[in-house]
Amino acid sequence: MTLMPLDITAPGVPGVLELGREKLTAAIAGHDPHPSMRARQIERWVIHGRATDLNAMSDLPARLRNSLAGIVTPLTASVAKRSVATDGTHKLLVKLADGQLIETVLMFEEDRRTVCVSTQVGCGMGCAFCASGLIGVARNLTSHEILEQLLLARNELLEDEKLTHVVVMGMGEPLANLSNLLSALAIATSPQGLGLSARHITISTVGLPSRMLELADSGRKYHLAVSLHAPDDALRTQLIPTNEKTGINAILDAAMEFFRKTGRQVTFEYILLGGVNDRAVDAERLARLLEGRKAHVNLIPFNPVDGLPWKRPDRDAVVVFRQALEARHVTASVRKRKGADIDAACGQLRRQAIQDAAIADKI
Ligand code: SAH
């Protein structure tokens, strides 16, 4: 297992994954004659044994557990609130060591157990339809905070169940925090870590061309999804402010380069906003843009966000849109809506919690 880069953002007792093997061993050294064995044991308890408390580590001497209490904690993040939707989706409001709140979602689909993780507190991209973008970005998550979300979601599963897939589609722009994300995913995919397949991990980006190439050069076989959302620059810039500087062409070129370098086809995400970008003419233009580019399109009907003016597309519009793409040999799928009854659109739970806290402050 690789060491986590030391990237502490908050005061308090450091976490096992935050310290990494070497520092954990050093921290144990004054308290036990077998520090490296103990460090391995403790890591196993956190990663495989689902321990969130030192006292759960039953094969550690009680004396050692007591002396480590103020020195190291299994996880720095905790579940502040859990909502379970009627379709089984678990939405976790996760509290970080510095009190910041992020969201992590666990979804169930046949044999798949998929966790959706955040990479930043808030998001700096400011997309017009997104709840996370409304509040701006407070900071990047550290690699251990990204990894701890996987563990907290895994701890929700029954004893004999495992996580199978990860989508990096929670709060934040993953490629704006690429090195911490890559460190976390290295442990998620290592056999001594969570043993996840790189091919079952999807990273979604607003489209940062140089970072897309950096990801391709990392040599990892992660799946890349790019939020395209519009067939031309004028409309895309209205929906995604960062497009003004980037432009669709640079994103498509980077996506093709990613495919060339990794052999992995890029998925283009396309949010459908009723009456805005879901018309037959939009589908036709999107099809022409992507035709012959070896692209797959994932259509995402808009998840309503309180206070935003956008509407969900009509059911018929979704069908017609998809058919128009496929008629031009651009394969397309429609994302299923998960956790609809618990505000599972990214950023909404945190926004609600912040609003509730603001109201509580005023009372
Ligand atoms: N910053 C990354 C990850 C964002 S979340 C990115 O831009 O891709 C993952 C996907 O959900 C993105 O395609 C995002 O545009 C989309 N999304 C955000 N808010 C949404 C909403 N209210 N309804 C549907 N999709 C939304």
Side-chain angles (χ1 to χ4, degrees):
M1 195 178 304
T2 49
L3 270 178
M4 308 287 290
L6 195 60
D7 203 352
I8 294 174
T9 52
V13 181
V16 166
L17 302 167
E18 179 177 10
L19 286 175
R21 176 76 57 82
E22 210 170 291
K23 288 201 162 68
L24 180 60
T25 306
I28 297 169
H31 305 277
D32 189 276
H34 313 288
S36 63
M37 178 188 89
R38 297 302 185 198
R40 275 200 309 277
Q41 257 176 310
I42 291 173
E43 264 181 9
R44 254 202 319 271
W45 270 111
V46 174
I47 295 176
H48 302 288
R50 304 190 178 201
T52 55
D53 186 331
L54 285 170
N55 282 322
M57 304 182 181
S58 50
D59 56 357
L60 286 192
R63 201 174 26 81
L64 177 60
R65 281 185 256 149
N66 287 338
S67 36
L68 290 181
I71 295 174
V72 64
T73 178
L75 299 176
T76 61
S78 59
V79 176
K81 185 178 169 199
R82 168 189 296 101
S83 314
V84 180
T86 46
D87 66 5
T89 302
H90 287 220
K91 180 124 185 180
L92 308 178
L93 185 67
V94 172
K95 189 173 181 180
L96 306 175
D98 61 356
Q100 292 280 11
L101 296 170
I102 54 165
E103 295 180 17
T104 308
V105 182
L106 174 66
M107 294 167 284
F108 297 77
E109 179 85 43
E110 292 168 10
D111 293 345
R112 291 185 177 205
R113 302 289 175 265
T114 305
V115 58
C116 176
V117 295
S118 297
T119 49
Q120 297 181 308
V121 178
C123 185
M125 299 297 119
C127 297
F129 46 80
C130 177
S132 298
L134 291 175
I135 334 185
V137 63
R139 67 171 174 86
N140 280 340
L141 297 187
T142 62
S143 46
H144 74 271
E145 287 169 336
I146 297 171
L147 195 54
E148 286 188 13
Q149 292 175 70
L150 298 183
L151 299 179
L152 289 172
R154 186 278 315 273
N155 294 353
E156 299 283 303
L157 295 172
L158 297 174
E159 203 70 43
D160 59 344
E161 287 189 313
K162 282 196 165 91
L163 287 181
T164 61
H165 291 71
V166 176
V167 292
V168 188
M169 295 189 182
M171 297 169 56
E173 169 47 44
L175 298 193
N177 189 15
L178 184 56
S179 76
N180 287 348
L181 175 63
L182 289 178
S183 307
L185 294 182
I187 293 182
T189 52
S190 99
Q192 305 96 308
L194 288 171
L196 283 157
S197 156
R199 293 178 174 276
H200 289 178
I201 295 178
T202 301
I203 301 173
S204 175
T205 178
V206 72
L208 306 179
S210 62
R211 296 293 174 90
M212 289 161 67
L213 300 183
E214 219 178 289
L215 179 62
D217 287 335
S218 75
R220 307 308 311 266
K221 295 281 183 196
Y222 303 128
H223 183 81
L224 181 64
V226 177
S227 297
L228 197 56
H229 299 339
D232 61 65
D233 278 324
L235 182 55
R236 191 169 193 271
T237 299
Q238 263 182 302
L239 300 176
I240 305 177
T242 59
N243 191 64
E244 185 161 14
K245 281 205 182 123
T246 320
I248 290 178
N249 278 340
I251 294 173
L252 294 182
D253 286 351
M256 291 313 117
E257 188 64 9
F258 184 92
F259 173 61
R260 204 185 57 73
K261 284 188 162 160
T262 63
R264 298 223 61 186
Q265 188 176 326
V266 173
T267 294
F268 291 99
E269 294 160 288
Y270 192 99
I271 193 171
L272 290 167
L273 303 164
V276 174
N277 67 351
D278 69 338
R279 300 157 306 173
V281 54
D282 299 314
E284 197 55 37
R285 297 177 77 181
L286 182 65
R288 262 185 271 130
L289 191 67
L290 298 180
E291 214 173 11
R293 277 189 184 261
K294 263 230 155 278
H296 177 83
V297 174
N298 193 209
L299 299 169
I300 318 173
F302 173 61
N303 254 320
V305 177
D306 274 352
L308 294 183
W310 318 100
K311 292 188 186 60
R312 277 178 77 74
D314 291 339
R315 203 179 285 258
D316 291 350
V318 179
V319 174
V320 170
F321 202 99
R322 181 181 182 169
Q323 282 168 349
L325 293 177
E326 295 200 320
R328 287 199 180 250
H329 310 291
V330 175
T331 62
S333 48
V334 179
R335 184 173 299 169
K336 279 195 197 148
R337 200 173 181 206
K338 290 282 184 187
D341 53 325
I342 53 162
D343 279 352
C346 49
Q348 297 215 61
L349 203 69
R350 172 175 183 263
R351 209 170 144 228
Q352 191 56 51
I354 290 171
Q355 280 165 2
D356 289 351
I359 293 165
D361 275 352
K362 282 194 198 130
I363 296 170

